[in-house]
Amino acid sequence: MHRIALNFEDGVTRFIEARADELVADAAYRVGVNIPMDCRDGACGTCKCQCESGDYSLGSYIEDAMTEDEAREGFVLTCQMKAKSDCVIRIPAASTACKVKPAAMAAEMVEVRQLSPTSIGFAVRVKDAGQLSYLPGQYVNVSVPGTSQTRSYSFSSMPREGVVEFLVRNIPNGLMSSYLAGSARPGDALTLTGPIGSFYLRDVTRPLLFLAGGTGLAPFLAMLESLRHKETGQPIHMIYGVTNDADLVELDKLAAFAAAIPGFTYVTVVADPASTHERKGYVTHHLPDAALHGGNLDLYLCGPPPMVDAVRGTLAERGVKPANFHFEKFNPSEAK
């Protein structure tokens, strides 16, 4: 069986299992996921999607349904596709249109770590570990114990026996922050709903540049944990920028990744002019030409909206257009 991640245009991801001899469309229908389709013969093109990762074979289809150029770009017809490995498929339809709802996973608090005055790390255990699948970089909605509200947080680790970690901003008087810093105890019941998000690590086929702002580091920690078990043969550089010295956290993890992942390097940057850090300013002030590879790179950015806009402006000024630019904006008050 191969694991297929179906990522819908609204960011909801559903994982299914497909046999080697089974059409992906059939595997989806078997578990109640209705990928749009008007025929089953490779003739209409309604089920055309893009396979972003993995190996597969295609049956017969006509030019009107999918051109050879599209096939070379990774487009597939799910009514003619059979997986030969785990795959990630981008579905050009909303999850609701395909009768898919984000999964709700019962979990319990494992531990809370006060990483700094401004940052908190916490770990939870999902009771049914078989439910827990996500792409490195995605997020879930986490229920706030004792309330009916949720907060959205990126996974900052990959699953380990049902345990996952998060890195969040400690917001004064924030609903989740107040719980984590005050009343949180091991065994507290929570619910995780997801996974969600189109910000996730794709197949590595060219150099990578990771730009993290504050707790935007979280999804990159999950990506790096995933990359630690792969041999990409590509250079990976991270620039991790924060406002104040106290905001720099999880540096031991970054050092461990640098020791374990061939070609991975990172630097940290602090914006506070009063800081004694060796690199002051913003991420855009420390963006070397060597890390941009003349545009032949995949750039991933997670940070507040002004950071995303600043990076875009800097790239335009320097005449660099990345092969792919994946980004996720977040409002610090939401602490995703």
Side-chain angles (χ1 to χ4, degrees):
M1 299 286 281
H2 300 302
R3 190 182 73 152
I4 312 297
L6 304 176
N7 189 260
F8 298 90
E9 66 178 9
D10 53 0
V12 172
T13 297
R14 172 71 183 271
F15 288 84
I16 64 172
E17 300 286 333
R19 299 187 305 271
D21 63 346
E22 186 176 27
L23 294 169
V24 168
D26 289 342
Y29 290 145
R30 178 164 48 80
V31 294
V33 178
N34 294 336
I35 296 176
M37 181 182 298
D38 286 338
C39 78
R40 296 182 59 84
D41 305 313
C44 71
T46 305
C47 68
K48 183 163 56 184
C49 304
Q50 188 167 23
C51 185
E52 296 187 313
S53 174
D55 298 322
Y56 54 87
S57 63
L58 287 174
S60 61
Y61 56 90
I62 65 173
E63 182 81 5
D64 287 346
M66 185 171 68
T67 67
E68 290 304 306
D69 285 343
E70 288 176 320
R72 282 191 289 271
E73 293 171 6
F75 284 90
V76 297
L77 300 175
T78 57
C79 74
Q80 298 297 311
M81 175 189 179
K82 294 180 181 179
K84 298 170 66 177
S85 72
D86 291 351
C87 294
V88 177
I89 301 175
R90 184 157 54 87
I91 310 292
S95 60
T96 51
C98 301
K99 299 184 179 180
V100 173
K101 293 182 179 180
M105 298 170 279
E108 63 180 17
M109 183 65 68
V110 174
E111 67 169 347
V112 177
R113 296 182 297 144
Q114 186 78 45
L115 299 173
S116 77
T118 61
S119 303
I120 298 174
F122 68 98
V124 305
R125 176 180 288 104
V126 173
K127 293 186 177 181
D128 181 358
Q131 283 189 289
L132 188 59
S133 292
Y134 54 89
L135 302 172
Q138 289 191 303
Y139 69 92
V140 285
N141 293 323
V142 183
S143 65
V144 184
T147 78
S148 60
Q149 298 191 45
T150 63
R151 293 293 183 266
S152 300
Y153 297 126
S154 297
F155 293 101
S156 63
S157 74
M158 296 305 291
R160 304 183 201 100
E161 298 181 347
V163 175
V164 290
E165 297 178 7
F166 300 91
L167 168 65
V168 303
R169 182 80 175 174
N170 186 6
I171 300 172
N173 301 316
L175 188 65
M176 181 63 91
S177 297
S178 297
Y179 161 71
L180 292 172
S183 60
R185 297 290 183 272
D188 286 354
L190 307 94
T191 301
L192 310 184
T193 304
I196 308 168
S198 57
F199 184 74
Y200 53 83
L201 184 66
R202 274 70 173 180
D203 275 354
V204 181
T205 59
R206 54 179 64 86
L208 299 180
L209 177 59
F210 292 164
L211 303 180
T215 52
L217 176 66
F220 293 114
L221 294 176
M223 291 182 186
L224 288 167
E225 187 172 327
S226 174
L227 287 169
R228 186 173 58 187
H229 304 292
K230 301 176 181 178
E231 294 184 8
T232 69
Q234 298 289 348
I236 307 163
H237 186 60
M238 169 183 280
I239 307 175
Y240 169 28
V242 299
T243 303
N244 302 297
D245 291 337
D247 301 327
L248 285 173
V249 296
E250 303 286 39
L251 297 183
D252 55 337
K253 289 186 178 180
L254 292 180
F257 286 134
I261 302 173
F264 172 60
T265 57
Y266 71 96
V267 297
T268 54
V269 180
V270 177
D272 181 10
S275 170
T276 59
H277 195 274
E278 60 180 317
R279 282 172 296 275
K280 290 198 288 281
Y282 296 104
V283 163
T284 49
H285 300 152
H286 301 273
L287 204 53
D289 288 335
L292 295 174
H293 298 276
N296 180 36
L297 80 157
D298 290 342
L299 195 160
Y300 291 79
L301 188 163
C302 185
M307 179 181 175
V308 178
D309 295 339
V311 169
R312 279 177 161 167
T314 297
L315 293 174
E317 290 172 5
R318 294 167 68 169
V320 174
K321 184 178 180 180
N324 291 292
F325 185 6
H326 307 287
F327 64 88
E328 184 168 60
K329 297 181 181 180
F330 67 87
N331 186 328
S333 66
E334 296 172 349
K336 192 175 80 178

